[in-house]
Amino acid sequence: MTHRLTDLAAGLPASVPFVGPEAQERARGAPFAARLGANESPFGPSPRAIAAIEAAAAEAWMYGDPECHDLRHALAAHHAVPPEAIVTGEGIDGLLGFLVRLLVAPGDAVVTSAGAYPTFNYHVAGFGGVIHAVPYDGDHEDPDALAARAAEVDAKLVYLANPDNPMGSHHDAGRIARMLDALPDGTLLCLDEAYADLAPAAAIPPLDPSDGRVIRMRTFSKAHGLAGLRVGYAIGHPELIRAFEKVRNHFGLGRVAQAGALGALSDPDWLLEVQARVAQSRDRLAAIATANGLTPLPSATNFVTMDCGRDGAFARRVMAGLIERGIFVRMPGVAPLDRCIRVSCGTQADMDAFGAALPPALDAANS
Amino acid sequence: MTHRLTDLAAGLPASVPFVGPEAQERARGAPFAARLGANESPFGPSPRAIAAIEAAAAEAWMYGDPECHDLRHALAAHHAVPPEAIVTGEGIDGLLGFLVRLLVAPGDAVVTSAGAYPTFNYHVAGFGGVIHAVPYDGDHEDPDALAARAAEVDAKLVYLANPDNPMGSHHDAGRIARMLDALPDGTLLCLDEAYADLAPAAAIPPLDPSDGRVIRMRTFSKAHGLAGLRVGYAIGHPELIRAFEKVRNHFGLGRVAQAGALGALSDPDWLLEVQARVAQSRDRLAAIATANGLTPLPSATNFVTMDCGRDGAFARRVMAGLIERGIFVRMPGVAPLDRCIRVSCGTQADMDAFGAALPPALDAANS
């Protein structure tokens, strides 16, 4: 039989936003020596998070609380916002899907930057939305252009990551506030702050859930080192947050994941430690880049994007050379950002491995 | 601002399919003594699953393989089907959402039984589908009536749980095969086999992924005791399975969840042990029911549905009385099934607690 997919589903490509490093390892027949392509945290989760996961293992026969009460309340206390302003979910990816589903019907306009997060675009396409992409302004997303385009196309939703992925740049809170003021009425800003815990404080606007113009996306996958648990949350106006109840997978965040996230949140010292190690690693990555003739871009994240100084074809050869030598890295997908490679922060051993692999990868790319 | 939800989203109720036991515990101000309402497995996960989760905790900084390669291949070997016939996801709930999204556009007809799985209906409503519900035939879902209604309304999708929840009944494989033959061309059967591991072998049709008329839903939440990890999978025609790539949350199944499921799958002895304990517990539940004047229905699952012999209002009072006494149970939501309460299998201590609470709960319901 032919399955009667909806017209929308039938028209979607089966391509995926990201091929995982495990698939690359299977293809190359060997594991990576350093895993620096997904902006994970090789420093690992907090020992308290690990202990919480271990303790939850024997209790994994119980579904997680579908209201995520304890985690939401702990997050509310942590951020000094009401628990009604927070919804948890299966990573920011999962929450982006629910958000797009709530707002975007086929044909609705959505604005983002050309070269920004592919998974957001995947969700928009998946619900039939129409992406309008504006170029970066140099190595920064362009809030003015995003807001102007949103007005032009009457966008339901506009996406901005601050700090930005894949460039590592950031805007200060004042610029984000001005962007909000410039947005047309009825356009919601999805402010992806996955890297908030690693950014300068000045980059993060105060949290104000009474402001219905913006929803903030946060995650335990980056600084908290829990990408493998898949816990994200959104902070926004309680009315908007309540709407997620209409579409979310209520039991989707399991008991083990909730426990691990709570453990991580209870350990601010570990977060400080990670921040310090990330800063060290950023410096080391910048030094390696410079020593090899690449230009490290300033980073407000746990990765350093390096300008290889030539075109996308060259940077792709550099990336391929690194992968071939056992270093998992990624790069921006769109010109002119694709003159760069993107390298995550990691341990001393990770940095040593990257530092050893880069010169021959560059030689190979040059030859 | 008013958020510009889609017309579909704006029209959805904010009600949730299930209120969790944790919310009930918070409301009553005390924990439950026995957790017998969600058909979890109080016997716990396999020690190998526990060890795998513990071992994965320190590695939780890494995203899970988005292709779930190892788990899918292990499942393929276990079921003797090609890995291309399997998609994994965030529980059957998550997969039901993706399946409905793939097939059901606003106005499309979907058939299920009145009183069957509310979360399936939630997803259908969530994508604008129109539910056509046929009554149970006594305590069984009615395959003939489901197929006939599917033909009548040109259903894209028809849902049948075998064994059935909430009644615990089952049909044999031959009856399911005859239902498939009776389905109109272009109707897909979603066969929810969450309880397959606890059912008589005769209830489970052979797996045949070349048959595009049916998709089979399985889970690690029931017999495997991993409800708190949220791992489900679907087995179906590779063409249909491939379509999930268009809409699923690719990184949604985390590294810890994948590891735990693999650990569980590697321990068939534990499954045998759980099956034996479930059978014992079913007998004990039936004996307790009978001793108290209730009629236990035959069960092919890890719960026993008990006919309280009167109407829904009475059964609701019995359920309320049990909950008041610290026993978490649920009951069917729709008449005439709602003359019953539904009690999950559990440990000796769980059974003792239920056996002690039932007589006073019945007394209170009668008075």
Side-chain angles (χ1 to χ4, degrees), chain A residues 1 3-4 6 9 12 22 26 40 60-61 63 65 102 122 186 212 222 225 228 230 246 248 251 255, chain B residues 1 3-4 6 9 12 22 26 40 60-63 65 102 122 186 212 222 225 228 230 246 248 251 255:
Chain A
M1 76 179 269
H3 298 103
R4 291 195 290 171
T6 67
L12 293 174
E22 295 81 8
R26 289 189 289 272
E40 299 159 328
W61 61 273
Y63 288 100
D65 174 12
L102 283 171
Y122 165 80
K222 302 302 177 188
R230 301 273 57 206
K246 299 176 171 207
R248 73 185 183 92
F251 288 84
R255 178 165 295 261
Chain B
M1 75 180 270
H3 299 103
R4 291 196 289 171
T6 66
L12 294 174
E22 295 82 7
R26 289 189 289 273
E40 299 159 328
W61 60 274
M62 290 181 274
Y63 288 100
D65 174 12
L102 283 171
Y122 166 80
K222 302 302 176 189
R230 298 270 63 202
K246 299 176 170 208
R248 73 185 184 94
F251 287 85
R255 178 166 297 260

Side-chain angles (χ1 to χ4, degrees), chain B residues 51-92:
Chain B
I53 294 168
E54 289 172 347
E59 296 180 350
W61 60 274
M62 290 181 274
Y63 288 100
D65 174 12
E67 299 179 9
C68 289
H69 177 277
D70 295 352
L71 179 56
R72 277 195 310 113
H73 282 250
L75 287 167
H78 178 73
H79 290 300
V81 299
E84 293 73 26
I86 299 179
V87 58
T88 51
E90 301 97 323
I92 289 179

Side-chain angles (χ1 to χ4, degrees), chain B residues 1 24 40 72 161 163 168 202 232 251 253 280 282 302 331 352:
Chain B
M1 75 180 270
Q24 298 185 40
E40 299 159 328
R72 277 195 310 113
F251 287 85
L253 202 59
Q280 277 181 340
R282 277 195 300 237
N302 68 342
M331 61 179 284
D352 292 345

